[in-house]
Amino acid sequence: MMVTDASHKLIPMTTFVIEYYSNEGYADLQTLNLMNNYANFLKHPLTLGMFVPVDADGNVLKEPKNYTSWNSLEHNKKKTNNISDSMGFEEYRIYQKAEQKCFFEGFTVAYNGYSVVRIVASYDESIELSFNKTDLKPQTFKDVESLTVFDEIYLSATALKTIGIHKNK
């Protein structure tokens, strides 16, 4: 899914503070809390599961067949498990739950080898990250803040919720 709303891009902390103050002009407790949340978000160590759905061991999950169609159905978008997993949709629910944990949108697996997983942003293939399968850590970047060198990395609804930004629908 390609996101175009600039307010949901990953940006450096200084830009976040300056942009917020240029719009609000003052800092109340809610504003300071939001800035604290964003600063803490930037310090999160990177994991592969922030970009693509992974299982409990950090292994990349394969997207189930026809998942996009299944996930587009309104009754499947809910986070509840009202539909019995015995109906053959357990694989879809597991993938959906892992997908909902991702902090960044639009990343796909470009290479999944024996020792390395390489992912790219579907909207800009020059944004590429590699993760070592032994320790599941990125090879180049260490935390969310280190990704602010890229012009376009889009935050998911999960990331926005973690920061305390409420997405307008």
Side-chain angles (χ1 to χ4, degrees), residues 8 37 41 44 49-51 79 96-105 154-167:
H8 298 124
N37 290 349
F41 174 75
H44 272 87
M50 291 178 170
F51 299 90
K79 292 183 182 181
Q96 182 183 49
K97 192 173 181 180
E99 187 178 51
Q100 290 168 348
K101 291 180 181 177
C102 294
F103 280 170
F104 307 103
E105 292 186 350
Y154 296 100
L155 302 175
S156 70
T158 302
L160 295 174
K161 184 178 176 185
T162 300
I163 297 163
I165 298 172
H166 303 288
K167 205 172 181 178

Side-chain angles (χ1 to χ4, degrees), residues 10-13 37-44 143-145 148:
L10 179 67
I11 56 177
M13 186 68 195
N37 290 349
Y38 193 68
N40 285 321
F41 174 75
L42 290 175
K43 293 299 176 197
H44 272 87
D143 57 18
V144 173
E145 188 170 30
T148 61

Side-chain angles (χ1 to χ4, degrees), residues 2-134:
M2 192 166 140
V3 181
T4 54
D5 189 347
S7 66
H8 298 124
K9 281 185 188 178
L10 179 67
I11 56 177
M13 186 68 195
T14 51
T15 306
F16 184 84
V17 172
I18 290 167
E19 284 186 7
Y20 199 90
Y21 276 106
S22 70
N23 292 323
E24 297 298 323
Y26 64 92
D28 57 12
L29 194 54
Q30 184 179 352
T31 305
L32 294 173
N33 191 34
L34 188 65
M35 289 181 189
N36 183 53
N37 290 349
Y38 193 68
N40 285 321
F41 174 75
L42 290 175
K43 293 299 176 197
H44 272 87
L46 293 177
T47 63
L48 185 57
M50 291 178 170
F51 299 90
V52 295
V54 298
D55 65 16
D57 297 322
N59 300 308
V60 175
L61 290 173
K62 186 175 185 231
E63 184 175 302
K65 188 176 183 180
N66 300 322
Y67 175 75
T68 305
S69 299
W70 176 87
N71 199 39
S72 69
L73 298 173
E74 197 59 40
H75 65 272
N76 291 334
K77 289 181 182 178
K78 297 180 183 111
K79 292 183 182 181
T80 60
N81 288 327
N82 292 340
I83 298 173
S84 172
D85 286 336
S86 63
M87 292 175 60
F89 292 109
E90 183 176 6
E91 179 186 5
Y92 292 77
R93 293 273 178 223
I94 290 168
Y95 189 86
Q96 182 183 49
K97 192 173 181 180
E99 187 178 51
Q100 290 168 348
K101 291 180 181 177
C102 294
F103 280 170
F104 307 103
E105 292 186 350
F107 280 84
T108 58
V109 176
Y111 174 76
N112 190 355
Y114 176 73
S115 61
V116 173
V117 175
R118 186 169 45 86
I119 59 172
V120 296
S122 57
Y123 46 84
D124 182 350
E125 292 193 5
S126 70
I127 300 174
E128 180 180 302
L129 303 165
S130 294
F131 288 81
N132 185 330
K133 281 191 167 180
T134 311

